[in-house]
DNA sequence: TCGATATTTCGACATATATCGAAATATATA
DNA sequence: TATATATTTCGATATATGTCGAAATATCGA
């Protein structure tokens, strides 16, 4: 039997659903490789290591309303944080959840 | 930009799609906690650390045909291996893909 | 060979999802 | 205040998914 509670399993399933669309996964990877505070580059509330919605849609060949929809899904799953800064809305990856996902797949290999 | 090729991104998206259904995720976790050869218990082609389709459907409250469907999805995503042994079909987690998933979420935190 | 057990295939159906385009909202700047 | 830029909301549509039940297939044991 699993070490995870039922609600935790549902939460992980939500996370994986958010990452199950190739375009959404690309956005997530874009953020992961540039915008994880405290790891790749330091996060400064002023400077902000992050990307706005427009940045994430570039090179993806989908219209802004679809980008917005995908970002909302990533946010709902708890994968990213968002904050308005002027006209733009900045996004970055929540490092806590990233660590939790790493452990999810690591642990069965080490225990 | 991402370190992953387009086809790799699509493959990861397939994997996450396979794990995006709570029942399927439960089956995967069941296998992960009992049937990863070389880690949790040793894998022997004769003895076999694995679970059959019936085992995986137990406690899940879904009919066998649905279990079969879900297992096929996990297999198509490359997450599990299957082999007939008598009447039963045994399943176990591919440790290589598990390692790949751990790295997928680890690496942005360590580079 | 017959019956029991294990699993898959097939067809159906209800629900969810990805995407678009048009219109609305928020913010900055001239 | 008017205009430009950034983003969201809404409605539509085509496609995918989860689940079931019935029927088919595979294997074992009497």
């Amino acid at each position: 039997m699993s070490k995870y509670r039922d609600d935790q399993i549902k939460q992980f399933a939500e996370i994986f659903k958010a990452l199950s669309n190739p375009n959404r996964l690309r956005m997530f990877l874009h953020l992961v490789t540039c915008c994880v505070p405290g790891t790749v580059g330091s996060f400064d509330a002023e400077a902000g290591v992050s990307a706005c919605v427009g940045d994430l849609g570039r090179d993806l060949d989908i219209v802004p309303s679809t980008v917005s929809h995908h970002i909302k899904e990533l946010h709902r799953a708890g994968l990213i944080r968002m904050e308005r800064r002027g006209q733009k809305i900045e996004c970055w990856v929540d490092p806590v959840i990233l660590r939790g996902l790493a452990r999810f797949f690591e642990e069965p290999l080490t225990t």
Side-chain angles (χ1 to χ4, degrees), chain A residues 68-108:
Chain A
S68 176
H69 163 72
H70 283 323
I71 286 177
K72 199 161 55 178
E73 292 296 304
L74 290 173
H75 184 252
R76 282 202 321 145
L79 286 162
I80 65 173
R81 311 273 201 96
M82 311 172 64
E83 191 177 298
R84 180 175 280 277
R85 196 160 305 170
Q87 285 172 291
K88 303 183 174 184
I89 296 199
E90 302 287 318
C91 310
W92 65 96
V93 171
D94 184 335
V96 175
I97 208 135
L98 201 54
R99 167 62 56 205
L101 283 165
R103 256 199 290 262
F104 186 86
F105 292 108
E106 267 169 50
E107 283 184 346

Short mmCIF file of all heavy atoms in Angstrom, two decimals, chain A residues 68-108:
data_model
loop_
_atom_site.label_atom_id
_atom_site.label_comp_id
_atom_site.label_asym_id
_atom_site.label_seq_id
_atom_site.Cartn_x
_atom_site.Cartn_y
_atom_site.Cartn_z
N SER A 68 -2.96 31.97 -21.63
CA SER A 68 -3.56 32.34 -20.35
C SER A 68 -4.23 31.15 -19.68
O SER A 68 -4.08 30.91 -18.48
CB SER A 68 -4.57 33.46 -20.58
OG SER A 68 -5.23 33.78 -19.38
N HIS A 69 -4.96 30.40 -20.49
CA HIS A 69 -5.63 29.20 -19.97
C HIS A 69 -4.61 28.20 -19.40
O HIS A 69 -4.80 27.69 -18.30
CB HIS A 69 -6.44 28.56 -21.09
CG HIS A 69 -6.85 27.15 -20.82
ND1 HIS A 69 -7.81 26.82 -19.90
CD2 HIS A 69 -6.40 25.98 -21.34
CE1 HIS A 69 -7.95 25.50 -19.88
NE2 HIS A 69 -7.10 24.97 -20.73
N HIS A 70 -3.53 27.98 -20.14
CA HIS A 70 -2.54 27.01 -19.69
C HIS A 70 -1.86 27.46 -18.39
O HIS A 70 -1.62 26.66 -17.49
CB HIS A 70 -1.48 26.80 -20.77
CG HIS A 70 -1.96 25.93 -21.89
ND1 HIS A 70 -2.77 24.84 -21.69
CD2 HIS A 70 -1.74 25.96 -23.24
CE1 HIS A 70 -3.04 24.26 -22.85
NE2 HIS A 70 -2.43 24.93 -23.80
N ILE A 71 -1.56 28.75 -18.34
CA ILE A 71 -0.92 29.26 -17.13
C ILE A 71 -1.82 29.11 -15.91
O ILE A 71 -1.38 28.78 -14.82
CB ILE A 71 -0.49 30.72 -17.35
CG1 ILE A 71 0.73 30.74 -18.26
CG2 ILE A 71 -0.18 31.40 -16.03
CD1 ILE A 71 1.20 32.12 -18.62
N LYS A 72 -3.09 29.33 -16.15
CA LYS A 72 -4.04 29.16 -15.06
C LYS A 72 -4.04 27.72 -14.54
O LYS A 72 -4.13 27.47 -13.34
CB LYS A 72 -5.44 29.58 -15.52
CG LYS A 72 -6.39 29.88 -14.40
CD LYS A 72 -7.59 30.72 -14.84
CE LYS A 72 -8.33 30.09 -16.01
NZ LYS A 72 -9.53 30.88 -16.41
N GLU A 73 -3.92 26.78 -15.47
CA GLU A 73 -3.88 25.36 -15.08
C GLU A 73 -2.62 25.05 -14.27
O GLU A 73 -2.68 24.34 -13.27
CB GLU A 73 -3.90 24.47 -16.34
CG GLU A 73 -5.20 24.52 -17.11
CD GLU A 73 -6.37 23.98 -16.30
OE1 GLU A 73 -6.29 22.84 -15.83
OE2 GLU A 73 -7.37 24.71 -16.12
N LEU A 74 -1.49 25.58 -14.70
CA LEU A 74 -0.24 25.36 -13.95
C LEU A 74 -0.37 25.95 -12.55
O LEU A 74 0.10 25.38 -11.58
CB LEU A 74 0.95 26.00 -14.69
CG LEU A 74 1.39 25.34 -16.00
CD1 LEU A 74 2.45 26.18 -16.70
CD2 LEU A 74 1.91 23.92 -15.76
N HIS A 75 -1.02 27.11 -12.49
CA HIS A 75 -1.19 27.77 -11.20
C HIS A 75 -2.14 27.01 -10.29
O HIS A 75 -1.88 26.83 -9.11
CB HIS A 75 -1.69 29.20 -11.43
CG HIS A 75 -1.79 30.01 -10.17
ND1 HIS A 75 -3.01 30.36 -9.61
CD2 HIS A 75 -0.85 30.51 -9.37
CE1 HIS A 75 -2.78 31.05 -8.52
NE2 HIS A 75 -1.48 31.16 -8.34
N ARG A 76 -3.24 26.53 -10.87
CA ARG A 76 -4.22 25.78 -10.10
C ARG A 76 -3.62 24.51 -9.51
O ARG A 76 -3.99 24.06 -8.44
CB ARG A 76 -5.43 25.41 -10.96
CG ARG A 76 -6.40 26.57 -11.16
CD ARG A 76 -7.78 26.08 -11.52
NE ARG A 76 -7.75 24.94 -12.43
CZ ARG A 76 -8.63 23.94 -12.42
NH1 ARG A 76 -9.62 23.96 -11.56
NH2 ARG A 76 -8.54 22.96 -13.29
N ALA A 77 -2.68 23.92 -10.26
CA ALA A 77 -2.03 22.70 -9.79
C ALA A 77 -1.00 23.02 -8.71
O ALA A 77 -0.46 22.11 -8.08
CB ALA A 77 -1.37 21.97 -10.95
N GLY A 78 -0.72 24.30 -8.51
CA GLY A 78 0.24 24.70 -7.48
C GLY A 78 1.68 24.70 -7.96
O GLY A 78 2.60 24.82 -7.15
N LEU A 79 1.87 24.56 -9.27
CA LEU A 79 3.24 24.47 -9.79
C LEU A 79 3.92 25.82 -9.89
O LEU A 79 5.14 25.91 -9.77
CB LEU A 79 3.23 23.79 -11.18
CG LEU A 79 2.99 22.29 -11.16
CD1 LEU A 79 2.55 21.79 -12.53
CD2 LEU A 79 4.25 21.56 -10.71
N ILE A 80 3.16 26.86 -10.15
CA ILE A 80 3.78 28.18 -10.32
C ILE A 80 3.10 29.23 -9.45
O ILE A 80 1.95 29.07 -9.04
CB ILE A 80 3.77 28.64 -11.80
CG1 ILE A 80 2.34 28.86 -12.29
CG2 ILE A 80 4.49 27.64 -12.68
CD1 ILE A 80 2.27 29.48 -13.67
N ARG A 81 3.82 30.32 -9.23
CA ARG A 81 3.30 31.49 -8.55
C ARG A 81 3.18 32.61 -9.56
O ARG A 81 3.93 32.66 -10.54
CB ARG A 81 4.27 31.93 -7.44
CG ARG A 81 4.73 30.81 -6.53
CD ARG A 81 3.77 30.62 -5.38
NE ARG A 81 4.46 29.92 -4.30
CZ ARG A 81 5.02 30.54 -3.26
NH1 ARG A 81 4.95 31.87 -3.15
NH2 ARG A 81 5.63 29.85 -2.32
N MET A 82 2.27 33.53 -9.31
CA MET A 82 2.05 34.64 -10.24
C MET A 82 1.88 35.93 -9.45
O MET A 82 1.37 35.92 -8.33
CB MET A 82 0.77 34.40 -11.05
CG MET A 82 0.68 33.04 -11.66
SD MET A 82 -0.93 32.71 -12.43
CE MET A 82 -0.94 33.91 -13.72
N GLU A 83 2.28 37.02 -10.07
CA GLU A 83 2.17 38.32 -9.41
C GLU A 83 2.15 39.41 -10.48
O GLU A 83 2.98 39.40 -11.39
CB GLU A 83 3.37 38.51 -8.49
CG GLU A 83 3.26 39.68 -7.55
CD GLU A 83 4.47 39.73 -6.63
OE1 GLU A 83 4.69 38.78 -5.86
OE2 GLU A 83 5.22 40.72 -6.73
N ARG A 84 1.20 40.32 -10.36
CA ARG A 84 1.16 41.40 -11.34
C ARG A 84 2.27 42.40 -11.07
O ARG A 84 2.53 42.77 -9.91
CB ARG A 84 -0.20 42.11 -11.33
CG ARG A 84 -0.29 43.26 -12.34
CD ARG A 84 -1.67 43.88 -12.41
NE ARG A 84 -2.59 43.09 -13.23
CZ ARG A 84 -2.66 43.17 -14.56
NH1 ARG A 84 -1.84 43.96 -15.23
NH2 ARG A 84 -3.55 42.46 -15.22
N ARG A 85 2.93 42.81 -12.14
CA ARG A 85 3.94 43.85 -12.03
C ARG A 85 3.72 44.79 -13.21
O ARG A 85 4.17 44.51 -14.32
CB ARG A 85 5.33 43.22 -12.04
CG ARG A 85 6.42 44.16 -11.56
CD ARG A 85 7.67 43.39 -11.12
NE ARG A 85 7.35 42.39 -10.09
CZ ARG A 85 8.20 41.45 -9.66
NH1 ARG A 85 9.40 41.40 -10.17
NH2 ARG A 85 7.84 40.60 -8.73
N GLY A 86 2.99 45.85 -12.97
CA GLY A 86 2.64 46.78 -14.05
C GLY A 86 1.64 46.13 -15.00
O GLY A 86 0.67 45.51 -14.55
N GLN A 87 1.91 46.25 -16.28
CA GLN A 87 0.99 45.65 -17.25
C GLN A 87 1.12 44.14 -17.28
O GLN A 87 0.20 43.43 -17.66
CB GLN A 87 1.32 46.17 -18.66
CG GLN A 87 0.86 47.59 -18.95
CD GLN A 87 1.41 48.04 -20.28
OE1 GLN A 87 2.62 48.24 -20.44
NE2 GLN A 87 0.53 48.17 -21.26
N LYS A 88 2.29 43.68 -16.91
CA LYS A 88 2.59 42.26 -17.07
C LYS A 88 2.29 41.46 -15.80
O LYS A 88 2.23 42.01 -14.70
CB LYS A 88 4.06 42.06 -17.44
CG LYS A 88 4.44 42.81 -18.70
CD LYS A 88 5.87 42.53 -19.08
CE LYS A 88 6.19 43.19 -20.42
NZ LYS A 88 7.56 42.86 -20.88
N ILE A 89 2.12 40.16 -15.99
CA ILE A 89 1.98 39.27 -14.86
C ILE A 89 3.16 38.32 -14.87
O ILE A 89 3.37 37.59 -15.85
CB ILE A 89 0.64 38.51 -14.93
CG1 ILE A 89 -0.49 39.53 -14.80
CG2 ILE A 89 0.57 37.43 -13.87
CD1 ILE A 89 -1.81 38.99 -14.40
N GLU A 90 3.93 38.36 -13.82
CA GLU A 90 5.15 37.57 -13.75
C GLU A 90 4.86 36.20 -13.14
O GLU A 90 4.05 36.08 -12.24
CB GLU A 90 6.21 38.29 -12.91
CG GLU A 90 6.57 39.68 -13.41
CD GLU A 90 7.39 39.64 -14.68
OE1 GLU A 90 8.31 38.79 -14.75
OE2 GLU A 90 7.13 40.45 -15.60
N CYS A 91 5.56 35.19 -13.67
CA CYS A 91 5.39 33.82 -13.19
C CYS A 91 6.73 33.22 -12.81
O CYS A 91 7.74 33.52 -13.43
CB CYS A 91 4.78 32.93 -14.28
SG CYS A 91 3.33 33.61 -15.07
N TRP A 92 6.72 32.38 -11.80
CA TRP A 92 7.92 31.62 -11.47
C TRP A 92 7.52 30.32 -10.81
O TRP A 92 6.41 30.17 -10.31
CB TRP A 92 8.87 32.44 -10.58
CG TRP A 92 8.35 32.78 -9.23
CD1 TRP A 92 8.59 32.11 -8.07
CD2 TRP A 92 7.50 33.89 -8.87
NE1 TRP A 92 7.94 32.72 -7.03
CE2 TRP A 92 7.26 33.81 -7.49
CE3 TRP A 92 6.91 34.94 -9.61
CZ2 TRP A 92 6.46 34.72 -6.80
CZ3 TRP A 92 6.11 35.84 -8.93
CH2 TRP A 92 5.90 35.74 -7.56
N VAL A 93 8.45 29.37 -10.82
CA VAL A 93 8.18 28.04 -10.30
C VAL A 93 8.30 28.04 -8.78
O VAL A 93 9.22 28.64 -8.23
CB VAL A 93 9.15 27.02 -10.90
CG1 VAL A 93 9.02 25.67 -10.21
CG2 VAL A 93 8.91 26.87 -12.39
N ASP A 94 7.38 27.37 -8.15
CA ASP A 94 7.45 27.18 -6.70
C ASP A 94 8.49 26.10 -6.41
O ASP A 94 8.31 24.94 -6.77
CB ASP A 94 6.08 26.76 -6.17
CG ASP A 94 6.06 26.65 -4.65
OD1 ASP A 94 7.13 26.44 -4.06
OD2 ASP A 94 4.98 26.79 -4.08
N PRO A 95 9.61 26.47 -5.75
CA PRO A 95 10.67 25.48 -5.55
C PRO A 95 10.28 24.36 -4.59
O PRO A 95 10.79 23.25 -4.67
CB PRO A 95 11.82 26.31 -4.97
CG PRO A 95 11.18 27.50 -4.38
CD PRO A 95 9.94 27.78 -5.17
N VAL A 96 9.33 24.65 -3.71
CA VAL A 96 8.90 23.62 -2.75
C VAL A 96 8.25 22.46 -3.47
O VAL A 96 8.53 21.28 -3.20
CB VAL A 96 7.92 24.23 -1.72
CG1 VAL A 96 7.38 23.14 -0.81
CG2 VAL A 96 8.61 25.32 -0.91
N ILE A 97 7.39 22.78 -4.43
CA ILE A 97 6.69 21.72 -5.13
C ILE A 97 7.64 20.94 -6.03
O ILE A 97 7.49 19.73 -6.23
CB ILE A 97 5.49 22.29 -5.92
CG1 ILE A 97 4.42 21.23 -6.06
CG2 ILE A 97 5.91 22.79 -7.29
CD1 ILE A 97 3.06 21.72 -5.79
N LEU A 98 8.65 21.64 -6.55
CA LEU A 98 9.63 20.97 -7.39
C LEU A 98 10.39 19.93 -6.58
O LEU A 98 10.61 18.80 -7.01
CB LEU A 98 10.59 22.02 -7.96
CG LEU A 98 11.38 21.66 -9.21
CD1 LEU A 98 10.48 21.20 -10.33
CD2 LEU A 98 12.23 22.84 -9.64
N ARG A 99 10.75 20.30 -5.37
CA ARG A 99 11.44 19.39 -4.45
C ARG A 99 10.55 18.20 -4.13
O ARG A 99 10.98 17.05 -4.12
CB ARG A 99 11.81 20.17 -3.18
CG ARG A 99 12.26 19.37 -1.99
CD ARG A 99 13.52 18.58 -2.22
NE ARG A 99 14.63 19.41 -2.64
CZ ARG A 99 15.68 18.95 -3.34
NH1 ARG A 99 15.73 17.67 -3.69
NH2 ARG A 99 16.65 19.76 -3.69
N GLY A 100 9.26 18.46 -3.91
CA GLY A 100 8.32 17.38 -3.61
C GLY A 100 8.19 16.39 -4.75
O GLY A 100 8.09 15.18 -4.53
N LEU A 101 8.25 16.88 -5.97
CA LEU A 101 8.14 16.01 -7.13
C LEU A 101 9.40 15.16 -7.28
O LEU A 101 9.33 13.98 -7.63
CB LEU A 101 7.89 16.83 -8.39
CG LEU A 101 6.46 17.33 -8.53
CD1 LEU A 101 6.36 18.42 -9.59
CD2 LEU A 101 5.54 16.18 -8.91
N ALA A 102 10.55 15.77 -7.04
CA ALA A 102 11.81 15.02 -7.13
C ALA A 102 11.76 13.85 -6.15
O ALA A 102 12.08 12.71 -6.49
CB ALA A 102 12.99 15.93 -6.85
N ARG A 103 11.31 14.14 -4.94
CA ARG A 103 11.24 13.10 -3.92
C ARG A 103 10.25 12.01 -4.30
O ARG A 103 10.46 10.84 -4.00
CB ARG A 103 10.84 13.70 -2.57
CG ARG A 103 12.02 13.82 -1.63
CD ARG A 103 11.53 13.96 -0.20
NE ARG A 103 10.90 15.26 0.00
CZ ARG A 103 11.52 16.31 0.54
NH1 ARG A 103 12.77 16.21 0.93
NH2 ARG A 103 10.90 17.44 0.69
N PHE A 104 9.16 12.40 -4.91
CA PHE A 104 8.12 11.45 -5.30
C PHE A 104 8.70 10.29 -6.10
O PHE A 104 8.33 9.13 -5.92
CB PHE A 104 7.05 12.17 -6.11
CG PHE A 104 5.85 11.34 -6.44
CD1 PHE A 104 4.79 11.23 -5.56
CD2 PHE A 104 5.76 10.68 -7.66
CE1 PHE A 104 3.67 10.47 -5.87
CE2 PHE A 104 4.64 9.91 -7.98
CZ PHE A 104 3.60 9.81 -7.08
N PHE A 105 9.65 10.62 -6.99
CA PHE A 105 10.23 9.58 -7.85
C PHE A 105 11.54 9.04 -7.31
O PHE A 105 11.96 7.95 -7.68
CB PHE A 105 10.43 10.12 -9.27
CG PHE A 105 9.14 10.40 -9.97
CD1 PHE A 105 8.72 11.71 -10.19
CD2 PHE A 105 8.32 9.37 -10.42
CE1 PHE A 105 7.52 11.98 -10.83
CE2 PHE A 105 7.12 9.64 -11.06
CZ PHE A 105 6.72 10.95 -11.26
N GLU A 106 12.20 9.81 -6.44
CA GLU A 106 13.47 9.37 -5.87
C GLU A 106 13.27 8.27 -4.85
O GLU A 106 13.95 7.26 -4.87
CB GLU A 106 14.14 10.54 -5.14
CG GLU A 106 15.12 11.36 -5.95
CD GLU A 106 15.48 12.61 -5.17
OE1 GLU A 106 15.85 12.46 -3.99
OE2 GLU A 106 15.37 13.70 -5.74
N GLU A 107 12.34 8.53 -3.93
CA GLU A 107 12.25 7.71 -2.74
C GLU A 107 12.11 6.21 -2.98
O GLU A 107 12.80 5.44 -2.32
CB GLU A 107 11.14 8.23 -1.83
CG GLU A 107 11.61 9.46 -1.09
CD GLU A 107 10.60 9.97 -0.09
OE1 GLU A 107 9.44 9.52 -0.16
OE2 GLU A 107 10.97 10.80 0.75
N PRO A 108 11.27 5.79 -3.91
CA PRO A 108 11.19 4.34 -4.11
C PRO A 108 12.52 3.72 -4.52
O PRO A 108 12.70 2.52 -4.39
CB PRO A 108 10.14 4.19 -5.22
CG PRO A 108 9.96 5.54 -5.79
CD PRO A 108 10.30 6.51 -4.72
#
